[in-house]
Amino acid sequence: MQLIKNRLFNGTEGEIALAAELFESVSAMPIISPHGHVDPRLLAENKPFTNPAELFIYFDHYVTRLLHAEGFSLAELGKGDTSPLAARNAWRVFCENWHILAGTASGFWLTSTFEQLFGITETPSGKNADSLYDQIAAQLLEPEFLPQALFKKFNISVLATTDDPLDDLQFHLQLQHDSNFTGRVIPTFRPDQYLDPRVSNWKDNVQKLIDTVNLDSVKYVNFIKALEDRRAYFKQHGAVSTDHGVHEPYTADLSESEAERIFGACLSGKASELEKREFAGHMLTQMARMSCDDGLVMTVHAGVFRNHHGETFENYGADTGHDIPVAVEFTNNLRTLLNKYGTHKNLTLILFCLDENVWNREIAPLAGFYPSVRVGAPWWFFDAPDSAMRFREKVTEIAGFYRGSGFIDDTRAFLSIPVRHEMARRVDSMFLARLVFAGRITEDQARQIAVDLVDAIPRKAFKL
Amino acid sequence: MQLIKNRLFNGTEGEIALAAELFESVSAMPIISPHGHVDPRLLAENKPFTNPAELFIYFDHYVTRLLHAEGFSLAELGKGDTSPLAARNAWRVFCENWHILAGTASGFWLTSTFEQLFGITETPSGKNADSLYDQIAAQLLEPEFLPQALFKKFNISVLATTDDPLDDLQFHLQLQHDSNFTGRVIPTFRPDQYLDPRVSNWKDNVQKLIDTVNLDSVKYVNFIKALEDRRAYFKQHGAVSTDHGVHEPYTADLSESEAERIFGACLSGKASELEKREFAGHMLTQMARMSCDDGLVMTVHAGVFRNHHGETFENYGADTGHDIPVAVEFTNNLRTLLNKYGTHKNLTLILFCLDENVWNREIAPLAGFYPSVRVGAPWWFFDAPDSAMRFREKVTEIAGFYRGSGFIDDTRAFLSIPVRHEMARRVDSMFLARLVFAGRITEDQARQIAVDLVDAIPRKAFKL
Amino acid sequence: MQLIKNRLFNGTEGEIALAAELFESVSAMPIISPHGHVDPRLLAENKPFTNPAELFIYFDHYVTRLLHAEGFSLAELGKGDTSPLAARNAWRVFCENWHILAGTASGFWLTSTFEQLFGITETPSGKNADSLYDQIAAQLLEPEFLPQALFKKFNISVLATTDDPLDDLQFHLQLQHDSNFTGRVIPTFRPDQYLDPRVSNWKDNVQKLIDTVNLDSVKYVNFIKALEDRRAYFKQHGAVSTDHGVHEPYTADLSESEAERIFGACLSGKASELEKREFAGHMLTQMARMSCDDGLVMTVHAGVFRNHHGETFENYGADTGHDIPVAVEFTNNLRTLLNKYGTHKNLTLILFCLDENVWNREIAPLAGFYPSVRVGAPWWFFDAPDSAMRFREKVTEIAGFYRGSGFIDDTRAFLSIPVRHEMARRVDSMFLARLVFAGRITEDQARQIAVDLVDAIPRKAFKL
């Protein structure tokens, strides 16, 4: 399809004209991407992308899950044979089933990327699968399609990755020392596997953590010290935030001695399920405590049942399309943390969930009172036009525009970064235009807010 | 009121023109109604409808509940005296209170049916109640208003009823042998009363089930065998699906011996509430197992508190307007079933609920991964324009158009079938037109999807 | 900003023209405000408002919470120094941070009030803070800005306050005897602090209640008698309703002896948490029983975690902006009450919550069957254009227009009453216009409904 100038705009002529004008004013502004999952190695090594299947299918579980739902095996979609022949076959499957992506977030970003990056306006199909494959494959060999060139072309002002606390951040260092690369790529401290004793391998993880910082015995005080130490290492290498993916955002506050006791019980396998939950909740509060000290922003992504289908997880590992949202609760769960640190001037706590009812029931009201709390952008499944519009409609009346996080692309798919931000900017422009036409804000306000949403607001939220 | 050409369409001129064009392309396509509650006897006996009250009020608890809420007794609305005089009085009450239906799903379908079927465009009121009654009553005596004639006129390609597993399906057989009737009316296997030991009379139901298939002792293995036998009987007589109305869609998977033990405990009245829940959950998983064997599609309708008002239930029985939705959860509850059979090529599991937050939080993500899972259409209270639009907006970005069930009317009100499908087709046309104008899909895609939504998609979902 | 004629209207030219016409037809109709929190003393004493900060900031925790979230202390926003100098400083903070209110409900009502009441169309800022302060302060000294003059100007037909059961209602009496004041200001019986043994000071509250009605011993039968007595006192002084703010709307029905036993256990500090919950649930059912006797309407506001931030509560007390909504459930919780009194002709039970998913999942279905139940208007955080529109879209298809409460402003901010009702009338007009253009209701119906929504419906709901 041919991209239209006014895409994502629905409304009267006047509303659309104003939306277009607002979008125009921000469309060329640099992208701030303070949370995502791009592999820093991709940029550090700066090798050409192998082929269209690797680029658009293999690592995008938004796409593979829908093909899986249509009956295709993950083995033929990057989790098995990835030979050139297999890649071409995967691409064919993808093109033949293009219709299943119609109306989805993935369909939108792929369509945009095909045209904007590769000049492709044909609708993918079984017929043109091979020629599209060849066309893209050829372009991937051009220097302007190397990751670093794209980074520059995308006008990314800052890109945050998500990293294990024990990661030595070698690719980040390599990028910082790469004289050809002037972009800013920063790590994010993601300690889930160390904080929650219910995680498999938790004991090993703790041992490795203690070892990494050269402490000699596995005890609670060293565990805390090691985490502080790794945070400092991350901060020193540019990190501005820590990220926490939790099933429930439960927080607790144990006494030092109680924390020590349960920590021991967890290590010796004698802790009850309740004690493990208390400990995990305590560690979330400890993270807030450390943020008050070191200033790292906390982002909390809550309410996902990870790896829902056991067999797929066993065969193909995590991030294979079957993380399924569940109901989530913040008001009660976060109370302990917020009562202790919610008004601390150093804390920023950005809340994300996949339960849109919670946006206006809990998150916006919390962000409308606590200086530390901010409303996380529509995330994951909600990273799409209608969801993003509902997000604005539900959150703005309660918390205004200035208690948000700015848009977060949260993506593994490097090529999708510009179009995701474009989507957010277009939806926000449309929303603002509607408010102006309904006399709810002035045009001047709209113009200022449009700019702030992509600049001042994410900068403030992530202390950039 | 006079029906307008562009009804249910809101948008710009261009959007409405395209919506109208898309609707035009599907408005005459046959109706596939793969789940509903029309009584097969109605069609088999093919007798004239008695009078307007019986036709529009007595059996439509969408309507009677709202009149009840306004203070009228169910006794005067079909649950007591139904003499001709009483029927006329019920009709008068209905006409005098026409305003309470404004904006409701019932108001919409009644208005359409009055005009499209009876040529009535006057707004019902106390003043014209009698003349409307007479006008409709006269028409009901005409041969074109006999149920079979309407079935043909409605252009119904297939109509599924919902039936007790022990039903001998005599009316379905009668219809199949009726040389004057060429329509396809198929049964649906609805075993709730046999699967859940918490149902009153469960023990008797099980006994009757075992007796029906001529097995001699009430034991678990025979219970399973009897269910399989009755499913085979239903399938042999045209059934394509089983239907499951559950309070919560909890699934479990007991060992053979454990299932046998709890089955016995349930029969002897010694089972605990937890054991009963486990058994009911186990039987839902067993239904999936049987579906993998016999290919019958499973539909699950979850999250309703049945018969909320005890006194009304005692006096007037079930389906009297006080089934009230409750919160529902699929992600955790269905996991056992899905881990066992979720990727089985023979299983189709269509999920319905009355908690719209679950549409995009759980159902669309599940359907976007598991080949077996499909998103059930907006059901019951949501079978109306604004709800149906929200459904598309919430589900499409996550699961696309092709993981759905197609529209399901789920109605007892035979006359409302065409207008309900018209509603769905109009809303879908409007939604598609908006996507086209926002540059999210092409016109060609929209045209194809509009057709697929009423044909290929429900056919595939229900294996028709 | 300059208010536009068609504010809050988005739609096609035709839709907006009709919305404007519908709004025109009701814009001058008297305001019925059957539930709110204006202090009756304000009207009784009829003194000039002190200054702009007191008028617009100090008592409006919608506003102060957002300033608090931006980092300002509640101490400088009315909870500390309130000298003229401090007031001017608070006003300056407010003006300098005007942008944080853009798009919020507060931003909307403040903008309207500035222009409609004070003729101010400038956007507040640091620059004009002082001049705006002076301009408003000067006007506040004019006789037309005295509370009673405003009451008349606002065209309020009836205003209900919310009062403690032991309040002697002196200000209501004073207003009734004030020959210069012809308005109707009625009290509302709000007994939360007496019904729930989990409330701090409950024991003292009960003692005071018994004392107030001159009963000699603190026992259950006297407790009940005292409540009945105070309800009678309120009714005698004009009350039409009782109001119940509950964390969960749980209802129970204890035997007389069991209630007496638990009441005693609560007083002696020996009751378990479960027993306290049962007692609180029992008392809600008792309130319904009393309503069947005395005819007072019950309003239930459920699902709020009060005083979420302990430190702020300790320092500044309640109603300081950190009451945070939680998930709420009515279907199961209310069943005991509804099974006992749900069809009683004297009971009206209006349900409010801050969990919009419950509007169409539970409240509308309940109100669509039980004659006693009505759907409460979008409340508190939802008292804003987009939320109010979603409310209509979610509720109308299930319960129609006539099972509602009419708009409820629920405000402490006296000046905001007209604009809040204007907001509701505009949104309803827009919603009705859309239904007309989609052929879902006739223009005649829309005209009638628009009028009924602001007159017949609230009158019937609150027995006015």
Side-chain angles (χ1 to χ4, degrees):
Chain A
M1 67 189 291
Q2 201 97 30
L3 299 183
I4 61 172
K5 175 176 177 286
N6 288 330
R7 65 186 181 291
L8 301 197
F9 298 161
N10 286 111
T12 62
E13 250 182 77
E15 287 169 350
I16 288 181
L18 179 56
E21 197 190 316
L22 293 169
F23 174 66
E24 192 61 33
S25 76
V26 297
S27 64
M29 287 182 70
I31 287 173
I32 295 175
S33 177
H35 180 74
H37 296 272
V38 169
D39 188 346
R41 182 180 206 149
L42 178 88
L43 288 158
E45 298 189 338
N46 198 33
K47 291 185 192 159
F49 293 99
T50 314
N51 61 52
E54 198 204 74
L55 187 57
F56 289 115
I57 305 170
Y58 289 173
F59 299 104
D60 190 350
H61 56 76
Y62 278 67
V63 170
T64 53
R65 69 185 181 94
L66 282 169
L67 288 167
H68 180 266
E70 280 298 295
F72 298 95
S73 160
L74 294 181
E76 49 181 322
L77 300 168
K79 298 297 177 191
D81 180 4
T82 56
S83 66
L85 186 63
R88 197 174 273 274
N89 282 336
W91 179 260
R92 171 174 295 282
V93 162
F94 168 78
C95 291
E96 281 172 347
N97 289 280
W98 180 249
H99 64 285
I100 67 172
L101 296 170
T104 67
S106 299
F108 175 74
W109 87 256
L110 288 164
T111 305
S112 292
T113 305
F114 289 162
E115 175 167 338
Q116 292 174 335
L117 222 56
F118 296 93
I120 293 171
T121 58
E122 287 176 76
T123 300
S125 68
K127 233 181 227 172
N128 64 15
D130 275 333
S131 76
L132 292 181
Y133 188 94
D134 294 333
Q135 196 177 329
I136 294 169
Q139 292 186 74
L140 291 180
L141 302 175
E142 302 293 329
E144 76 236 45
F145 281 90
L146 289 176
Q148 291 191 3
L150 289 173
F151 189 96
K152 199 170 170 190
K153 178 175 182 166
F154 292 168
N155 195 14
I156 298 175
S157 136
V158 56
L159 178 76
T161 62
T162 301
D163 310 273
D164 189 279
L166 305 193
D167 195 304
D168 59 8
L169 307 178
Q170 58 160 308
F171 298 114
H172 294 85
L173 285 162
Q174 194 176 321
L175 281 166
Q176 280 158 28
H177 298 125
D178 183 339
S179 58
N180 293 316
F181 184 70
T182 56
R184 184 174 174 197
V185 178
I186 59 178
T188 300
F189 187 79
R190 170 83 174 249
D192 302 344
Q193 307 301 314
Y194 303 84
L195 302 187
D196 189 338
R198 291 165 296 191
V199 163
S200 64
N201 297 327
W202 176 75
K203 197 177 161 178
D204 290 352
N205 297 342
V206 169
Q207 180 69 58
K208 277 184 219 153
L209 171 67
I210 306 263
D211 292 348
T212 302
V213 293
N214 296 314
L215 290 165
D216 51 5
S217 70
V218 178
K219 53 185 186 182
Y220 176 69
V221 62
N222 284 348
F223 172 62
I224 293 292
K225 203 186 159 325
L227 286 165
E228 288 168 341
D229 189 277
R230 294 307 298 167
R231 289 173 65 109
Y233 182 81
F234 269 63
K235 191 176 173 184
Q236 185 190 333
H237 290 87
V240 297
S241 71
T242 69
D243 181 44
H244 306 274
V246 292
H247 190 85
E248 57 167 1
Y250 177 70
T251 60
D253 187 29
L254 303 172
S255 69
E256 187 84 8
S257 62
E258 187 66 357
E260 201 177 323
R261 188 188 67 72
I262 300 184
F263 178 76
C266 291
L267 286 174
S268 64
K270 286 178 186 154
S272 68
E273 280 310 298
L274 263 175
E275 284 174 326
K276 289 180 194 169
R277 181 179 185 243
E278 285 301 300
F279 191 78
H282 171 73
M283 288 313 299
L284 215 51
T285 307
Q286 279 296 304
M287 287 293 113
R289 197 261 305 155
M290 294 180 199
S291 279
C292 292
D293 292 342
D294 63 22
L296 291 177
V297 170
M298 274 182 93
T299 62
V300 173
H301 291 82
V304 186
F305 192 123
R306 301 275 172 185
N307 307 310
H308 193 265
H309 190 238
E311 197 183 311
T312 299
F313 178 63
E314 276 159 41
N315 292 341
Y316 306 117
D319 297 324
T320 43
H322 48 110
D323 293 348
I324 310 291
V326 292
V328 70
E329 206 281 341
F330 287 108
T331 305
N332 289 287
N333 279 323
L334 282 181
R335 193 170 179 239
T336 297
L337 186 159
L338 290 174
N339 267 269
K340 198 146 186 189
Y341 303 114
T343 55
H344 194 288
K345 68 184 189 325
N346 262 8
L347 182 65
T348 301
L349 179 63
I350 309 181
L351 305 178
F352 298 84
C353 73
L354 291 159
D355 185 347
E356 71 170 85
N357 210 39
V358 176
W359 289 341
N360 56 352
R361 191 182 67 207
E362 304 180 20
I363 298 181
L366 287 166
F369 174 77
Y370 287 101
S372 59
V373 177
R374 285 185 170 266
V375 187
W379 166 51
W380 197 334
F381 289 121
F382 296 141
D383 170 14
D386 290 330
S387 303
M389 185 58 85
R390 287 198 306 278
F391 174 80
R392 285 286 173 221
E393 288 170 351
K394 289 188 167 185
V395 165
T396 309
E397 295 182 335
I398 296 174
F401 288 98
Y402 290 85
R403 302 300 309 150
S405 65
F407 180 68
I408 303 293
D409 57 67
D410 192 34
T411 192
R412 260 158 243 286
F414 180 55
L415 262 65
S416 75
I417 291 177
V419 68
R420 287 176 195 267
H421 286 262
E422 182 191 330
M423 183 279 296
R425 291 171 187 194
R426 286 184 176 275
V427 170
D428 287 343
S429 298
M430 191 70 240
F431 179 66
L432 289 165
R434 282 188 203 158
L435 293 196
V436 170
F437 272 76
R440 293 165 64 181
I441 55 174
T442 64
E443 268 196 49
D444 284 349
Q445 285 181 305
R447 275 181 235 287
Q448 186 61 52
I449 293 166
V451 170
D452 289 346
L453 284 173
V454 301
D455 189 45
I457 290 168
R459 281 193 193 286
K460 190 168 177 194
F462 283 89
K463 304 181 180 177
L464 289 163
Chain B
M1 67 189 292
Q2 201 98 28
L3 300 183
I4 61 171
K5 175 174 176 288
N6 288 331
R7 66 186 180 291
L8 302 196
F9 298 161
N10 286 111
T12 62
E13 251 182 74
E15 288 169 350
I16 288 181
L18 178 56
E21 198 189 315
L22 292 169
F23 174 66
E24 192 61 33
S25 77
V26 297
S27 65
M29 286 182 70
I31 288 174
I32 295 175
S33 176
H35 180 73
H37 296 273
V38 168
D39 187 346
R41 181 180 203 149
L42 178 89
L43 288 158
E45 297 188 340
N46 199 31
K47 291 184 192 161
F49 293 99
T50 313
N51 60 53
E54 198 205 72
L55 187 57
F56 289 114
I57 306 170
Y58 290 173
F59 299 104
D60 190 349
H61 56 77
Y62 279 67
V63 171
T64 54
R65 71 186 179 94
L66 282 169
L67 289 166
H68 180 265
E70 281 297 295
F72 298 95
S73 160
L74 295 181
E76 48 181 323
L77 300 167
K79 299 298 178 188
D81 180 4
T82 55
S83 65
L85 187 62
R88 198 174 273 274
N89 281 336
W91 179 258
R92 171 173 295 280
V93 163
F94 168 78
C95 291
E96 281 171 348
N97 289 281
W98 180 249
H99 64 284
I100 67 172
L101 296 170
T104 67
S106 299
F108 175 73
W109 84 256
L110 289 164
T111 305
S112 292
T113 305
F114 289 163
E115 175 167 337
Q116 292 174 335
L117 222 57
F118 297 94
I120 293 171
T121 57
E122 287 175 77
T123 301
S125 68
K127 232 180 227 174
N128 63 17
D130 274 334
S131 76
L132 292 181
Y133 189 94
D134 294 334
Q135 198 177 329
I136 294 170
Q139 292 186 75
L140 291 180
L141 301 175
E142 301 294 327
E144 77 236 45
F145 281 91
L146 288 176
Q148 292 191 2
L150 290 173
F151 189 96
K152 198 169 171 189
K153 177 173 183 168
F154 291 168
N155 195 16
I156 297 173
S157 136
V158 55
L159 178 76
T161 62
T162 301
D163 310 273
D164 188 279
L166 305 193
D167 195 303
D168 59 9
L169 307 178
Q170 58 160 308
F171 297 114
H172 294 85
L173 285 163
Q174 193 177 325
L175 281 166
Q176 280 158 27
H177 297 126
D178 184 338
S179 58
N180 293 315
F181 184 70
T182 56
R184 183 173 173 198
V185 179
I186 59 178
T188 299
F189 187 79
R190 170 84 174 248
D192 301 344
Q193 307 302 313
Y194 303 85
L195 302 188
D196 189 338
R198 293 165 295 193
V199 163
S200 65
N201 297 326
W202 176 77
K203 196 175 160 179
D204 291 351
N205 296 343
V206 169
Q207 181 69 58
K208 275 185 220 152
L209 171 66
I210 306 262
D211 291 349
T212 302
V213 294
N214 296 316
L215 290 165
D216 52 6
S217 71
V218 178
K219 54 186 184 180
Y220 176 70
V221 61
N222 283 348
F223 173 62
I224 292 293
K225 203 185 161 321
L227 286 165
E228 288 170 341
D229 189 278
R230 293 308 299 168
R231 287 172 67 108
Y233 182 81
F234 269 63
K235 191 175 173 184
Q236 184 190 335
H237 290 88
V240 297
S241 73
T242 70
D243 181 44
H244 306 273
V246 293
H247 190 85
E248 56 166 2
Y250 177 70
T251 59
D253 186 30
L254 302 173
S255 67
E256 186 85 8
S257 62
E258 187 66 356
E260 200 177 323
R261 188 189 67 71
I262 299 184
F263 179 76
C266 290
L267 285 175
S268 64
K270 287 176 186 155
S272 69
E273 280 311 298
L274 263 176
E275 284 175 325
K276 289 180 194 169
R277 181 178 185 244
E278 285 301 301
F279 191 78
H282 171 73
M283 289 311 300
L284 214 51
T285 306
Q286 280 296 304
M287 286 294 112
R289 198 261 303 156
M290 293 180 199
S291 279
C292 293
D293 293 342
D294 63 21
L296 291 177
V297 169
M298 272 183 94
T299 63
V300 173
H301 291 81
V304 186
F305 192 123
R306 302 277 171 184
N307 308 309
H308 193 265
H309 190 239
E311 196 183 312
T312 300
F313 178 62
E314 276 160 42
N315 291 341
Y316 305 117
D319 297 324
T320 43
H322 48 109
D323 292 348
I324 310 290
V326 292
V328 70
E329 206 280 342
F330 287 109
T331 304
N332 288 289
N333 280 323
L334 282 182
R335 193 170 179 239
T336 298
L337 187 160
L338 289 174
N339 267 270
K340 198 146 186 188
Y341 303 113
T343 55
H344 193 289
K345 66 182 193 324
N346 262 6
L347 183 64
T348 301
L349 178 62
I350 309 180
L351 305 178
F352 298 84
C353 74
L354 291 160
D355 185 347
E356 71 169 84
N357 210 39
V358 177
W359 289 340
N360 55 352
R361 192 181 67 207
E362 305 180 19
I363 298 181
L366 286 167
F369 174 77
Y370 288 101
S372 59
V373 177
R374 287 184 168 265
V375 187
W379 166 52
W380 196 335
F381 289 121
F382 296 140
D383 169 15
D386 289 331
S387 303
M389 184 58 84
R390 287 199 306 279
F391 173 81
R392 284 286 172 221
E393 289 170 351
K394 290 189 166 184
V395 165
T396 308
E397 295 182 335
I398 297 174
F401 289 99
Y402 289 86
R403 302 299 310 150
S405 65
F407 180 68
I408 303 294
D409 57 67
D410 193 33
T411 192
R412 259 158 244 288
F414 181 55
L415 261 65
S416 75
I417 291 177
V419 68
R420 287 176 194 267
H421 286 263
E422 182 190 330
M423 183 280 295
R425 292 172 186 193
R426 285 183 176 276
V427 170
D428 288 343
S429 298
M430 190 70 239
F431 179 66
L432 288 165
R434 282 188 203 159
L435 294 195
V436 170
F437 271 76
R440 294 165 64 181
I441 55 173
T442 63
E443 268 196 49
D444 284 349
Q445 285 181 307
R447 275 182 234 287
Q448 185 62 50
I449 293 166
V451 169
D452 288 347
L453 284 173
V454 301
D455 188 45
I457 290 169
R459 280 192 194 288
K460 190 168 176 193
F462 282 90
K463 304 182 180 176
L464 288 163
Chain C
M1 68 189 291
Q2 200 97 29
L3 300 183
I4 60 171
K5 174 175 178 283
N6 289 330
R7 65 186 180 292
L8 303 197
F9 297 160
N10 286 110
T12 62
E13 251 182 76
E15 287 169 351
I16 288 181
L18 178 56
E21 197 190 316
L22 293 170
F23 174 65
E24 192 61 34
S25 75
V26 297
S27 65
M29 286 181 70
I31 287 174
I32 295 175
S33 176
H35 179 75
H37 296 273
V38 168
D39 188 345
R41 182 179 203 148
L42 178 90
L43 289 158
E45 297 188 339
N46 199 32
K47 290 183 192 162
F49 292 100
T50 313
N51 60 53
E54 196 204 74
L55 187 57
F56 288 115
I57 305 171
Y58 290 173
F59 299 105
D60 190 350
H61 57 76
Y62 280 68
V63 170
T64 54
R65 71 186 179 95
L66 282 169
L67 289 166
H68 180 265
E70 281 298 295
F72 298 94
S73 159
L74 294 182
E76 48 182 322
L77 300 168
K79 299 297 178 190
D81 180 4
T82 55
S83 66
L85 186 63
R88 197 174 273 273
N89 282 335
W91 179 258
R92 172 173 296 281
V93 163
F94 167 79
C95 290
E96 281 171 347
N97 290 280
W98 181 248
H99 63 286
I100 67 172
L101 296 170
T104 67
S106 299
F108 175 74
W109 85 256
L110 288 164
T111 305
S112 292
T113 305
F114 288 163
E115 175 167 338
Q116 291 174 335
L117 221 55
F118 297 93
I120 294 171
T121 57
E122 287 176 78
T123 301
S125 68
K127 232 180 228 173
N128 63 16
D130 274 333
S131 76
L132 292 181
Y133 188 95
D134 294 334
Q135 198 176 329
I136 294 170
Q139 292 186 73
L140 291 180
L141 302 174
E142 302 292 329
E144 76 237 45
F145 281 90
L146 290 175
Q148 291 191 2
L150 290 172
F151 190 96
K152 199 171 169 189
K153 179 176 182 166
F154 292 168
N155 195 15
I156 298 174
S157 135
V158 56
L159 178 76
T161 62
T162 301
D163 310 273
D164 189 279
L166 305 193
D167 195 302
D168 59 8
L169 306 179
Q170 58 160 308
F171 298 114
H172 293 85
L173 285 163
Q174 193 177 325
L175 281 165
Q176 280 158 28
H177 297 126
D178 183 338
S179 57
N180 293 315
F181 184 70
T182 55
R184 183 174 173 197
V185 178
I186 60 177
T188 300
F189 187 81
R190 171 84 175 249
D192 302 344
Q193 307 301 314
Y194 304 84
L195 302 188
D196 188 338
R198 293 165 296 192
V199 163
S200 65
N201 297 327
W202 177 75
K203 197 176 160 178
D204 289 352
N205 296 342
V206 169
Q207 181 69 57
K208 277 185 219 152
L209 171 66
I210 305 262
D211 291 348
T212 302
V213 295
N214 297 314
L215 290 164
D216 51 6
S217 69
V218 178
K219 53 185 187 183
Y220 176 70
V221 60
N222 283 349
F223 173 63
I224 292 292
K225 202 183 163 324
L227 285 165
E228 288 170 340
D229 189 278
R230 293 308 300 167
R231 288 173 66 109
Y233 183 80
F234 269 63
K235 190 176 175 186
Q236 184 190 333
H237 291 88
V240 297
S241 72
T242 70
D243 181 44
H244 306 273
V246 292
H247 190 86
E248 56 166 3
Y250 176 70
T251 59
D253 187 30
L254 303 172
S255 68
E256 186 85 9
S257 62
E258 188 65 357
E260 200 176 324
R261 187 188 68 72
I262 300 183
F263 178 76
C266 291
L267 286 175
S268 65
K270 288 177 185 153
S272 68
E273 281 309 300
L274 263 176
E275 284 175 325
K276 288 180 194 168
R277 181 178 185 244
E278 285 301 301
F279 191 78
H282 171 73
M283 288 312 300
L284 215 51
T285 307
Q286 280 295 305
M287 286 293 113
R289 197 262 304 156
M290 292 181 201
S291 278
C292 292
D293 292 341
D294 63 22
L296 291 177
V297 170
M298 273 182 95
T299 63
V300 174
H301 292 80
V304 186
F305 192 123
R306 301 278 171 182
N307 307 311
H308 192 265
H309 190 239
E311 196 182 312
T312 300
F313 178 62
E314 276 159 42
N315 291 341
Y316 305 118
D319 297 324
T320 44
H322 48 110
D323 293 348
I324 310 290
V326 292
V328 70
E329 206 280 343
F330 287 109
T331 305
N332 289 288
N333 279 324
L334 281 182
R335 193 172 178 237
T336 298
L337 187 160
L338 290 174
N339 267 269
K340 197 146 186 190
Y341 302 114
T343 55
H344 193 290
K345 70 183 189 325
N346 261 8
L347 182 65
T348 301
L349 179 63
I350 309 181
L351 305 178
F352 298 83
C353 74
L354 290 159
D355 185 347
E356 72 169 84
N357 210 39
V358 177
W359 289 341
N360 54 353
R361 191 182 66 207
E362 304 180 20
I363 298 181
L366 286 167
F369 174 77
Y370 287 101
S372 59
V373 177
R374 286 184 168 265
V375 187
W379 166 51
W380 196 335
F381 289 120
F382 295 141
D383 170 14
D386 290 330
S387 303
M389 185 58 85
R390 288 199 306 279
F391 173 80
R392 285 285 172 222
E393 288 170 351
K394 290 188 167 184
V395 165
T396 310
E397 294 182 337
I398 297 174
F401 288 98
Y402 289 85
R403 302 298 310 151
S405 66
F407 180 68
I408 302 294
D409 56 69
D410 193 33
T411 192
R412 259 159 245 286
F414 180 55
L415 262 65
S416 75
I417 292 176
V419 68
R420 287 176 195 267
H421 286 262
E422 182 190 331
M423 184 280 295
R425 292 172 188 194
R426 285 183 177 275
V427 170
D428 288 343
S429 298
M430 190 72 240
F431 179 65
L432 288 166
R434 282 189 203 155
L435 293 196
V436 170
F437 271 76
R440 292 165 65 183
I441 55 173
T442 64
E443 269 196 49
D444 284 349
Q445 284 180 306
R447 276 182 233 286
Q448 185 62 50
I449 292 166
V451 170
D452 288 347
L453 284 173
V454 301
D455 189 44
I457 290 169
R459 281 192 194 287
K460 189 168 177 193
F462 282 89
K463 303 183 179 175
L464 289 163

